[in-house]
Amino acid sequence: MAEADGSSRPFAGLSDVSISEDIPVEGDISMPTISSSQDDGFSTLDEPVKDTVLRDLKAVGNKFVHVLYPKKSKALLRDWDLWGPLLLCVTLALLLQGGSVDSKDDGGPQFAEVFVIIWFGSVIITLNSKLLGGTISFFQSLCVLGYCIMPLTVAMVVCRIVLLGSSGTVSFAVRLVVVSASFGWSTFASTAFLADSQPQNRKALVVYPVFLFYFVIGWMILTFAPAQ
Amino acid sequence: MDNTDELKFQDFEEVSHLLSLDPNATTVAVSGSPASLSGEEDVKLDLTEDEEGLEISKLLGGTPTGGFWTFEYYKSFFNVETVQVMDRVKGSVMPIPGRNFIKHYLRSKPDLYGPFWICVTLVFSVAISGNLSTFLSQVGDQTYHYRPQFHRVTIAAVVIFMYAWLVPLCAWGFLTWRKGAEGQMGGYTFLETVCVYGYSLFIFIPTSLLWIIPLEWLRWLLILVSTVVSGSVLVFTFLPVVRDHTKLTATATLVTILILHSLLAIGCKMYFFQTAVHMTAPQTTTQFMMTTQVTQQEHRQGASLVLPAT
C-alpha cells in the first residue's frame, strides 16, 4: 500500500484528521404533512359524538341561512349534503298527510307520491340542466333544489296553523298569499344558485323546469284539504 | 405471387381479378356507394362495441358521439337555445300551409327538450285545470268536500306520455315501411317525428287552462280549434312524405293522424273536465252526503251527538 513516499500521495494529510464527537450536528428533520392529517383523523375519532353531530347540524343550519338570504355564495354549492333536503322532504310529506277522510280514493297525495315527486323531480331537473351543458355537478344540484324547498315547508306549516282556525274563504286567501310568496322565494333562491352554471342563451331553458317543480309542490300545499 | 413476378410489368387484369374476389377491399373508389360500404367496413374493424350505437343512431337520425349508453349521446339532443325553442313553439301554434315544420324549424336539429317538457307541463296543466273545474262546478254545493284528486296526475302522465311516444313510433314505422317498399328517400327520422308530435301538443296547454270556464259550447269550440291547429301542423309536415303514395293510402294516413289527435283532446276533456256532480258510485255518495248533512246539522245546533255507524 505505502510503496511511495507520503508526500507524493494525494490527500496525505487527511489521515491525521479525526472528527471528534464534540462537534454538534444541527439540522431540521421536517416530517411530511401526512402525519398531521392523520393526527386530525384520529382526533375526530376521539371527539365526543355530540361534537360530530353538532358539526353536521351547523353545516345544515348554515345552508338554511343561505337559502333565507340568497346571495351568490359558493358555500351551498361547495359543501353539498343531502341531510337538509331529506329532512325537508320528510317533513313536507308528513305534513301533507292527514288529509280528507276517504283519502284512499280522491284525496291528496300519499307520502310515497310526495317523496317520489320531490326526489324524482329533482333528479330530472338536474339531468336536464346537465344535458343542456351545465357545469354544476349532480349532487350539488340536488342539494340546492332540496334546500330551496324550505320556504315551501314553512308555508305548509303556516297553512296547517291557519287551517286549524277556519277553512273558509279568508283562510284560503291567506293561504294563497303565503304559498305564492314562498313559491316565488323558492324559485328565486334556486335560480340564484343554478342559473350561473349555464351559458346565457339557455338560462330560461333551465329555469322553467325549476319553476314548474316548485309550482307543483306549491299546488300540493295549497290544495291540502283537512279532514272534517 | 412469385418473387420473380414482382419486377415484371404487372397486368392490371390481375388487380381487377383480385378486386372481384374481394369486393370489400379498401380501395380509392370514385363512385359514391362502394366508398360508403367500404367506409362502414373500415369502421367495423375494431369498434365493434359501437356497432349497436351506430345502428341505433341510424334509427334516431342524429349525429351523436359515442354509443347510446353514454351521456354525450343524449347531450346532442339537448343542443338547443332558448330562442330556438321559442321559435319552434311559435311554429307549432301557427301552421302555414306549405311550411313544413320539420324542414323549416327543425332543420335536422331535432331536440328532446321541447317534447319532454311540453308533455310534463301538459300533464300537470290538465290535472290541475280538471281539479279546478270540478271545484268551480260545485262551488255552490254545500255538501261538496274539496278533494285534490291527485291520482289524476298519474293517469294524465301515462296517457300523454304514451301518446307522445307510441304514436310517433307507429307513424314513423309505417312511413319508413312504405318508403322502403317504394324505394324513395326523404322520410323523417324517428326523433324528428317525436319532435313534431311533442311540439304539436303545445296548443293543448292554453286550451286546458281555458277549459276551466264551465261553458260546454266553449269547451267543444276550444277542442275544435286546437285539434284543427295542431292537426294541421302534423298534416303539413307529413304531406310531402305521403304525397308519393297512392291517394287512398295518403288520405288514410292523414285521416288516422287527425283522428288520433282529436281522440286525445276529446278523451282529456271528457275524463278530466266532467261536469257531472256525482263522480263516485251513487250509493257511497248519498251515504257520504247523509253523514255530512247530519254533521252540519249537529254543528249548527251546537250539540255533540254520536255519528251513526256506517
Side-chain angles (χ1 to χ4, degrees):
Chain A
M1 269 295 263
E3 55 275 25
D5 272 340
S7 57
S8 65
R9 272 192 347 219
F11 310 119
L14 281 182
S15 56
D16 299 332
V17 176
S18 68
I19 299 178
S20 75
E21 295 85 19
D22 297 337
I23 300 179
V25 177
E26 298 179 36
D28 271 349
I29 302 179
S30 60
M31 302 288 285
T33 52
I34 292 180
S35 64
S36 58
S37 68
Q38 275 177 352
D39 283 340
D40 276 348
F42 280 117
S43 67
T44 59
L45 267 183
D46 286 340
E47 70 180 8
V49 176
K50 181 172 71 98
D51 282 353
T52 317
V53 171
L54 276 181
R55 187 173 47 236
D56 276 339
L57 279 179
K58 276 209 194 81
V60 169
N62 190 27
K63 293 203 189 60
F64 279 143
V65 170
H66 273 293
V67 172
L68 280 180
Y69 303 107
K71 307 185 293 279
K72 285 188 177 38
S73 85
K74 298 290 178 203
L76 201 71
L77 289 183
R78 202 177 41 232
D79 315 314
W80 60 266
D81 73 90
L82 293 179
W83 283 114
L86 181 68
L87 218 69
L88 288 170
C89 178
V90 168
T91 313
L92 189 60
L94 281 176
L95 285 175
L96 277 170
Q97 299 308 302
S100 324
V101 177
D102 41 347
S103 60
K104 60 175 169 52
D105 195 21
D106 273 338
Q110 304 295 317
F111 183 92
E113 284 174 344
V114 176
F115 220 79
V116 160
I117 283 187
I118 290 181
W119 287 101
F120 202 55
S122 303
V123 166
I124 292 220
I125 293 178
T126 309
L127 279 180
N128 176 63
S129 151
K130 286 189 78 69
L131 281 170
L132 281 170
T135 54
I136 199 171
S137 95
F138 184 75
F139 285 108
Q140 279 172 352
S141 170
L142 279 187
C143 170
V144 167
L145 287 169
Y147 270 103
C148 291
I149 294 181
M150 192 190 75
L152 285 166
T153 312
V154 168
M156 182 72 211
V157 171
V158 170
C159 281
R160 279 210 85 147
I161 295 177
V162 166
L163 280 171
L164 281 178
S166 68
S167 61
T169 322
V170 173
S171 87
F172 177 74
V174 168
R175 282 186 292 144
L176 182 66
V177 165
V178 167
V179 170
S180 312
S182 60
F183 155 71
W185 193 354
S186 288
T187 313
F188 172 69
S190 63
T191 51
F193 292 115
L194 284 180
D196 273 346
S197 63
Q198 290 289 335
Q200 185 62 34
N201 55 354
R202 290 183 184 178
K203 273 203 173 42
L205 295 184
V206 171
V207 168
Y208 171 70
V210 174
F211 170 88
L212 189 65
F213 175 63
Y214 289 125
F215 182 80
V216 169
I217 297 182
W219 174 258
M220 285 198 297
I221 293 176
L222 188 61
T223 61
F224 173 74
Q228 281 188 342
Chain B
M1 285 201 302
D2 305 334
N3 279 341
T4 55
D5 283 343
E6 277 180 44
L7 293 177
K8 274 177 149 184
F9 178 76
Q10 301 283 355
D11 233 358
F12 282 118
E13 282 135 31
E14 259 181 305
V15 180
S16 51
H17 178 63
L18 281 174
L19 259 183
S20 63
L21 284 179
D22 183 17
N24 285 332
T26 311
T27 58
V28 180
V30 185
S31 56
S33 42
S36 63
L37 270 179
S38 59
E40 273 188 25
E41 292 299 317
D42 282 341
V43 172
K44 271 189 184 170
L45 275 177
D46 49 354
L47 298 173
T48 46
E49 65 269 15
D50 281 340
E51 219 175 313
E52 264 185 81
L54 279 176
E55 287 179 12
I56 302 288
S57 79
K58 278 185 234 155
L59 183 77
L60 292 175
T63 51
T65 55
F68 66 94
W69 55 88
T70 62
F71 194 69
E72 283 71 29
Y73 181 77
Y74 297 103
K75 235 177 156 168
S76 60
F77 301 139
F78 278 75
N79 199 14
V80 279
E81 305 175 2
T82 314
V83 183
Q84 285 176 329
V85 173
M86 300 308 296
D87 270 344
R88 292 173 185 190
V89 162
K90 268 191 286 211
S92 76
V93 252
M94 294 186 302
I96 301 177
R99 192 179 278 193
N100 189 342
F101 184 81
I102 289 184
K103 291 287 181 281
H104 189 81
Y105 288 104
L106 293 188
R107 289 177 211 240
S108 357
K109 266 181 67 176
D111 69 304
L112 277 180
Y113 177 90
F116 180 72
W117 286 108
I118 289 177
C119 286
V120 170
T121 313
L122 185 62
V123 162
F124 284 114
S125 81
V126 163
I128 290 179
S129 312
N131 194 230
L132 270 179
S133 83
T134 315
F135 172 70
L136 282 179
S137 72
Q138 289 156 0
V139 77
D141 197 355
Q142 292 288 344
T143 59
Y144 176 69
H145 177 62
Y146 173 73
R147 300 165 184 166
Q149 290 169 322
F150 205 72
H151 67 289
R152 286 184 165 184
V153 173
T154 328
I155 297 176
V158 167
V159 166
I160 288 174
F161 271 96
M162 267 178 40
Y163 180 84
W165 284 91
L166 286 185
V167 174
L169 184 68
C170 298
W172 171 82
F174 177 72
L175 289 174
T176 313
W177 170 62
R178 297 294 302 198
K179 177 190 81 166
E182 297 175 25
Q184 59 194 194
M185 304 298 289
Y188 300 132
T189 65
F190 175 61
L191 198 61
E192 288 172 344
T193 324
V194 166
C195 210
V196 74
Y197 262 92
Y199 277 106
S200 74
L201 285 178
F202 176 79
I203 184 109
F204 289 115
I205 297 177
T207 311
S208 66
L209 291 176
L210 287 174
W211 273 339
I212 298 178
I213 304 173
L215 295 171
E216 199 63 25
W217 61 267
L218 181 67
R219 288 181 179 174
W220 284 106
L221 182 67
L222 283 170
I223 288 184
L224 195 65
V225 167
S226 58
T227 313
V228 162
V229 167
S230 63
S232 50
V233 169
L234 292 174
V235 163
F236 293 145
T237 307
F238 287 112
L239 203 57
V241 183
V242 154
R243 196 176 283 152
D244 298 322
H245 299 169
T246 66
K247 207 153 166 63
L248 185 62
T249 324
T251 38
T253 317
L254 294 175
V255 164
T256 314
I257 291 178
L258 278 177
I259 286 182
L260 282 174
H261 219 65
S262 49
L263 271 182
L264 178 74
I266 295 176
C268 278
K269 187 256 174 204
M270 301 288 292
Y271 182 74
F272 291 103
F273 294 86
Q274 295 159 342
T275 47
V277 176
H278 304 302
M279 265 157 293
T280 55
Q283 295 131 348
T284 49
T285 319
T286 35
Q287 230 176 15
F288 181 66
M289 278 169 59
M290 276 165 50
T291 44
T292 16
Q293 273 171 354
V294 171
T295 320
Q296 284 175 348
Q297 281 170 3
E298 286 164 358
H299 280 303
R300 269 186 241 121
Q301 290 167 6
S304 59
L305 293 175
V306 177
L307 285 175
T310 50

